Amino acid sequence: MLQFIYSQLIRLFLPFILLRLWWHGRRAPELRRNWYQRLGIVPRASGTVVWVHAVSVGETIAAAPMVRRLLARNPGITILMTAMTDTGLSQARKMFGDQVQYAYAPYDTPGSIRRFLDRANPRILVIMETEIWPNMIRQCRARRVPVFLINARLSERSARGYERVRGLAAPIMRSISWVAAQAEKDAERFRRIGVAPAKVAVTGSVKFDVDIPENVRAAAAALRQKLAGRPVWIAGSTHGSENDELLAAHGRVLADHPKALLILVPRHPDRFEPVAERAVKEGLTLARRSRGEDPGRTQVYLGDTMGELMMLYGASDLAFVGGSLIERGGHNPLEPAGWGIPVFSGPHIFNFETIYQRLLDDRGVKLVADSDDLAAHVSSLFSDDTERQAIGQRALAVVNKNRGALDKVVDGIIERV
């Protein structure tokens, strides 16, 4: 009954969801492109299809090493990557080109999911992290399509939320074929909300298997050479008012290190223009990557392109990971850690608690209280090359020590293909 009520509510809200999509598409036309895919009308796929669903940019990046490994192990399969956002698909296209197929994920109405499955005909569904959609999972299970949750994490708050709707959640959880959890506490919560214990394994986080392709390393080195030895720090995946705080922090860094450069990379494209305007208003000189402007003599380099954050981390001396000075929960600190540079975050890191704890245990990350605290640490490390390199090497050591989850995950998928 709860499943029926849920489906009817989704159907009821669908016209308003589509209207919202159209409205936001006024400023971002790419949102309207291929909108019909969200109703399940996707190109027909053939062969052995592995459907990899990643909600947005972060999950898409996390899926990249797994997708590369799957293609290397079984070149005959077809990878169909879906995302809920245009930025997620843009990131996937930038990483894989024509190696895989792409589509927007269908909205979770029974009809949309049915049309999608009829056309895509997947052999297996691999969901990155914890993107749980009842109709998607139930219909896959009804068609004997195994559903894997990979790199799965579940906070205590989310677990309690599922427990409050146990009548809806429990049948969905029983339909999941395998949960590859990041940590034992995640695994315990999945068992608690209805996933059979035999279907839950602790594999660790695939995000520790950081994959930096050679072309990305080459591009980072080329950009670094252009910067001619300047001290460079980067703030990646930033949100909202956080950008204002980071620009203010850079002003304080400049007081001690006049040649310092801040590479600022907002999480969402709709923040590019406001951040550029704010930087100029603060009296900072600005170059924009999207326009090919030279960052050599500017104070702020705006990373207003998609899919280049990993490369920009590699061109920097140290990194701040955004979404953490505000209560957003933070983003993935392993991307800069994989380059062997010091990593800073604010106090709000609940989205990646397991990863941050491992970094904190080995002093591979520093949590700052606010932008003043961040500016002080950045200035200090710019004055101490030895300490900066030592912290960066500790961060990289944590990444290397925790590798291996990817092999377990790929083995599990290959067994079902």
Side-chain angles (χ1 to χ4, degrees):
M1 179 59 71
L2 286 177
Q3 176 78 25
F4 174 78
I5 293 172
Y6 165 81
S7 295
Q8 296 310 309
L9 287 173
I10 290 289
R11 283 170 168 150
L12 179 65
F13 285 114
L14 183 59
F16 300 99
I17 295 171
L18 292 172
L19 181 61
R20 182 175 180 271
L21 181 69
W22 175 84
W23 182 260
H24 287 292
R26 295 176 308 141
R27 294 184 178 178
E30 61 275 7
L31 290 176
R32 297 181 183 176
R33 195 172 298 123
N34 297 327
W35 64 271
Y36 49 85
Q37 293 180 356
R38 300 176 188 270
L39 301 180
I41 305 171
V42 297
R44 293 191 179 274
S46 59
T48 301
V49 177
V50 176
W51 175 12
V52 178
H53 176 58
V55 60
S56 193
V57 174
E59 294 80 9
T60 301
I61 293 172
M66 179 189 72
V67 171
R68 292 190 183 99
R69 194 76 59 86
L70 285 170
L71 290 172
R73 292 268 299 270
N74 195 336
I77 63 174
T78 298
I79 301 288
L80 172 59
M81 295 199 69
T82 64
M84 301 299 293
T85 67
D86 60 301
T87 52
L89 287 186
S90 295
Q91 176 70 51
R93 288 191 180 96
K94 192 170 189 67
M95 292 188 298
F96 297 112
D98 59 2
Q99 290 180 284
V100 308
Q101 297 182 14
Y102 311 93
Y104 283 112
Y107 291 134
D108 200 44
T109 65
S112 298
I113 298 296
R114 184 177 61 253
R115 285 187 290 270
F116 183 95
L117 292 175
D118 287 344
R119 289 165 170 78
N121 192 27
R123 180 72 62 85
I124 186 173
L125 167 57
V126 179
I127 300 175
M128 296 303 298
E129 302 197 2
T130 316
E131 186 75 359
I132 297 173
W133 293 101
N135 284 315
M136 178 188 288
I137 292 174
R138 290 290 294 276
Q139 287 200 36
C140 280
R141 193 61 175 167
R143 295 183 184 218
R144 299 184 182 278
V145 176
V147 178
F148 286 5
L149 290 188
I150 300 303
N151 214 44
R153 56 187 172 90
L154 190 65
S155 68
E156 182 60 30
R157 180 169 59 179
S158 295
R160 289 173 182 167
Y162 283 116
E163 286 179 317
R164 284 194 289 269
V165 290
R166 181 174 291 275
L168 175 62
I172 305 305
M173 298 304 160
R174 288 195 293 268
S175 297
I176 295 172
S177 306
W178 188 46
V179 175
Q182 293 189 22
E184 180 55 41
K185 59 186 174 182
D186 298 303
E188 186 277 328
R189 290 166 188 156
F190 277 106
R191 297 183 196 108
R192 206 172 86 203
I193 64 174
V195 181
K199 296 180 179 179
V200 181
V202 180
T203 60
S205 174
V206 299
K207 292 187 176 182
F208 282 105
D209 291 271
V210 178
D211 180 26
I212 307 176
E214 285 305 314
N215 64 318
V216 173
R217 291 186 182 276
L223 176 57
R224 187 66 187 155
Q225 189 172 18
K226 286 183 181 179
L227 299 176
R230 294 177 62 186
V232 179
W233 69 293
I234 182 172
S237 295
T238 59
H239 292 261
S241 60
E242 196 172 46
N243 293 293
D244 298 341
E245 296 183 63
L246 291 163
L247 290 169
H250 189 50
R252 291 187 281 276
V253 171
L254 287 169
D256 295 328
H257 302 276
K259 293 184 178 181
L261 174 68
L262 167 63
I263 301 177
L264 186 54
V265 189
R267 180 73 171 180
H268 299 295
D270 60 3
R271 300 303 304 167
F272 293 161
E273 287 298 332
V275 170
E277 292 171 4
R278 181 72 180 193
V280 173
K281 186 176 180 179
E282 291 290 324
L284 299 167
T285 55
L286 176 80
R288 299 182 63 156
R289 183 160 180 82
S290 64
R291 299 177 181 176
E293 295 170 348
D294 183 8
R297 297 181 179 275
T298 60
Q299 295 166 318
V300 177
Y301 190 34
L302 184 62
D304 55 349
T305 56
M306 296 304 300
E308 293 195 306
L309 179 57
M310 180 63 88
M311 183 277 291
L312 294 172
Y313 277 136
S316 307
D317 294 306
L318 52 89
F320 171 81
V321 180
S324 58
L325 285 178
I326 58 174
E327 292 190 27
R328 189 78 185 198
H331 292 289
N332 183 12
L334 298 177
E335 293 171 14
W339 285 100
I341 61 175
V343 182
F344 293 92
S345 289
H348 306 290
I349 53 171
F350 52 83
N351 284 340
F352 291 84
E353 57 181 349
T354 300
I355 288 173
Y356 271 101
Q357 190 57 57
R358 292 185 184 178
L359 285 165
L360 287 167
D361 288 345
D362 288 3
R363 296 182 299 136
V365 68
K366 174 68 178 177
L367 302 186
V368 296
D370 50 34
S371 59
D372 288 337
D373 193 17
L374 175 62
H377 279 91
V378 170
S379 291
S380 175
L381 288 186
F382 278 160
S383 300
D384 191 339
D385 291 347
T386 301
E387 179 64 10
R388 187 177 71 248
Q389 291 169 11
I391 295 173
Q393 287 305 303
R394 288 202 298 269
L396 180 58
V398 174
V399 172
N400 290 333
K401 183 169 68 173
N402 289 278
R403 290 182 184 272
L406 184 60
D407 289 328
K408 299 175 186 176
V409 165
V410 171
D411 288 343
I413 295 171
I414 290 292
E415 287 177 6
R416 296 294 190 115
V417 173

